[in-house]
Amino acid sequence: MTPFDYARASDVGDALRRGKAPATAYLGGGTNLVDLMRETIARPTSLVDVTGLSDEIRRTDGGGLSIGSAVRNTALAEHREVRAHYPMLTRAILAGASAQIRNMATVGGNMLQRTRCTYFYDTDGSRCNKRQPGSGCDAIGGFDRGHAILGASNSCIATHPSDMCVALAALDAIVHLEGSRGARMLPFVDLHRLPGEHPERDTMLEPGELITAIELPPLPFGANSTYRKVRDRASYAFALVSVAAAIEVEDGTVKDVRIALGGVAHKPWRASKAEAALRGGPANVAAFKAAAEAELADARPLRDNGFKIGLAVRAMTAVLGELAGVMA
Ligand SMILES: Cc1cc2nc3c(=O)[nH]c(=O)nc-3n(C[C@H](O)[C@H](O)[C@H](O)COP(=O)(O)OP(=O)(O)OC[C@H]3O[C@@H](n4cnc5c(N)ncnc54)[C@H](O)[C@@H]3O)c2cc1C
């Protein structure tokens, strides 16, 4: 591990001032960053602890929720308003990691956790363009069972690991940022990148930029939402495929719908094609399956992960059917 110094930021301004120094990283709960430092994948020489920033969850004037970046994952999952109005978010968070890790992990840190691609972690023997740009990718042509089927590139086939982020993508969340050029807001679906030629860049954040909050707009039918995670074992495993969805059905017709997928791409995958296919159409199993197939039409299976395409179609169909109350 590279030696580092540590400071706890007293407020956003203090964090930004300290965050300007070279080789500085913000520290949330440390449940991902410290592992990466132990493996020498991340080598910051200064850590700025941002767990003292806002840990408030409050109603916005528009009727949504504003969630401070230092809110712990457990607190967010358990919050009364979240459970009542955005149950998919509660379920997504509780599907991840363990109770101990969720107690430590922050909202800001969860959003910026890095891929679990085993080649990314294998510093001894594997090439990885994400870890070392331009070095190559041993996952391509390697054991790729857990890798991406959508949006991958010739440089990287890693997937995004977060469960929480899949729900945030479906919920049209907005990320609040502060940086050297001031404050800005970014739609959550634009926070993470597809790998392209630069898989070393996970997000659209500028160097030193700080996540201060995440905002959930009101979703009138959000109470009718859920998250389903399909994985190799019941706990302590990342998603092979996951689905976050909310649906509003009136007189047998889909009035509105939100869907996002996890475990399939370098970023949480908003299923816009499926949503467009469903809006205004019948709320039945055949329509849900057709919409899921439309979303997966561009999927490109690798050697070991072709099963994810059918799995994603079945998981989406089942989740939508369950929410619409039309399962056989
Ligand atoms: C054994 C194990 C199992 C796990 N299983 C799952 C799982 O099934 N599903 C899942 O979703 N996750 C899982 N995780 C990952 C876990 O959810 C993340 O480690 C956690 O959410 C990261 O949050 P943190 O606050 O600890 O982040 P940290 O490790 O502190 O930071 C992560 C990154 O975020 C940056 N950062 C932190 N806060 C800010 C901020 N405010 N602004 C800008 N940058 C910031 C840091 O610089 C760092 O780059 C697992 C982790 C472990 C160790």
Side-chain angles (χ1 to χ4, degrees):
M1 200 177 203
T2 306
F4 61 91
D5 51 47
Y6 167 94
R8 188 171 160 87
S10 53
D11 55 28
V12 169
D14 187 32
L16 288 175
R17 247 182 332 273
R18 293 176 186 277
K20 274 189 201 150
T24 297
Y26 296 124
L27 178 70
T31 61
N32 187 222
L33 181 57
V34 174
D35 280 354
L36 293 170
M37 290 168 68
R38 281 200 200 102
E39 301 288 340
T40 66
I41 296 168
R43 298 175 192 196
T45 52
S46 296
L47 291 184
V48 179
D49 184 337
V50 290
T51 56
L53 305 187
S54 170
D55 64 354
E56 188 189 24
I57 302 176
R58 63 171 175 80
R59 271 239 174 237
T60 60
D61 293 342
L65 283 185
S66 169
I67 300 154
S69 64
V71 170
R72 304 285 177 171
N73 286 189
T74 301
L76 182 57
E78 288 179 352
H79 194 271
R80 205 159 46 109
E81 300 267 339
V82 175
R83 289 167 55 146
H85 302 294
Y86 310 94
M88 71 158 80
L89 181 55
T90 293
R91 293 204 173 125
I93 294 170
L94 295 181
S98 66
Q100 293 87 343
I101 291 167
R102 295 192 297 268
N103 288 344
M104 286 297 292
T106 60
V107 168
N110 190 319
M111 286 192 253
L112 298 189
Q113 64 173 290
R114 304 209 70 192
T115 184
R116 293 283 160 167
C117 173
T118 45
Y119 297 91
F120 173 71
Y121 272 86
D122 179 21
T123 50
D124 288 336
S126 297
R127 296 175 306 151
C128 173
N129 286 320
K130 187 178 276 301
R131 174 165 33 80
Q132 198 174 349
S135 63
C137 171
D138 280 335
I140 297 175
F143 182 61
D144 52 30
R145 184 170 178 275
H147 288 78
I149 51 172
L150 288 163
S153 74
N154 291 332
S155 300
C156 182
I157 57 172
T159 53
H160 191 268
S162 168
D163 293 296
M164 181 188 84
C165 289
V166 183
L168 293 179
L171 291 170
D172 283 328
I174 297 157
V175 191
H176 289 244
L177 301 167
E178 290 265 3
S180 53
R181 285 188 284 174
R184 67 176 177 129
M185 292 189 282
L186 194 62
F188 181 81
V189 288
D190 296 333
L191 174 67
H192 297 96
R193 298 177 66 252
L194 289 177
E197 295 304 307
H198 290 284
E200 73 278 8
R201 285 195 64 202
D202 290 343
T203 70
M204 299 306 289
L205 291 190
E206 305 286 344
E209 215 166 12
L210 182 69
I211 298 173
T212 54
I214 184 105
E215 186 181 328
L216 302 181
L219 184 63
F221 57 100
N224 190 33
S225 73
T226 195
Y227 181 77
R228 185 174 294 185
K229 178 176 181 178
V230 186
R231 48 185 156 171
D232 282 328
R233 50 174 196 266
S235 80
Y236 243 50
F238 289 86
L240 291 168
V241 164
S242 67
V243 181
I247 193 165
E248 182 179 27
V249 176
E250 209 174 80
D251 300 330
T253 297
V254 178
K255 209 170 156 205
D256 206 353
V257 62
R258 303 277 188 283
I259 312 166
L261 301 175
V264 295
H266 193 258
K267 60 185 285 183
W269 190 266
R270 182 69 181 262
S272 312
K273 286 184 193 153
E275 291 180 7
L278 286 168
R279 279 191 195 103
N284 61 37
V285 172
F288 297 152
K289 183 162 179 278
E293 285 169 348
E295 189 63 49
L296 272 297
D298 292 334
R300 295 283 169 270
L302 302 165
R303 192 190 66 190
D304 307 315
N305 71 357
F307 73 95
K308 281 193 178 188
I309 298 176
L311 190 60
V313 168
R314 289 193 299 279
M316 273 173 76
T317 307
V319 164
L320 292 169
E322 185 183 306
L323 289 172
V326 297
M327 290 308 278

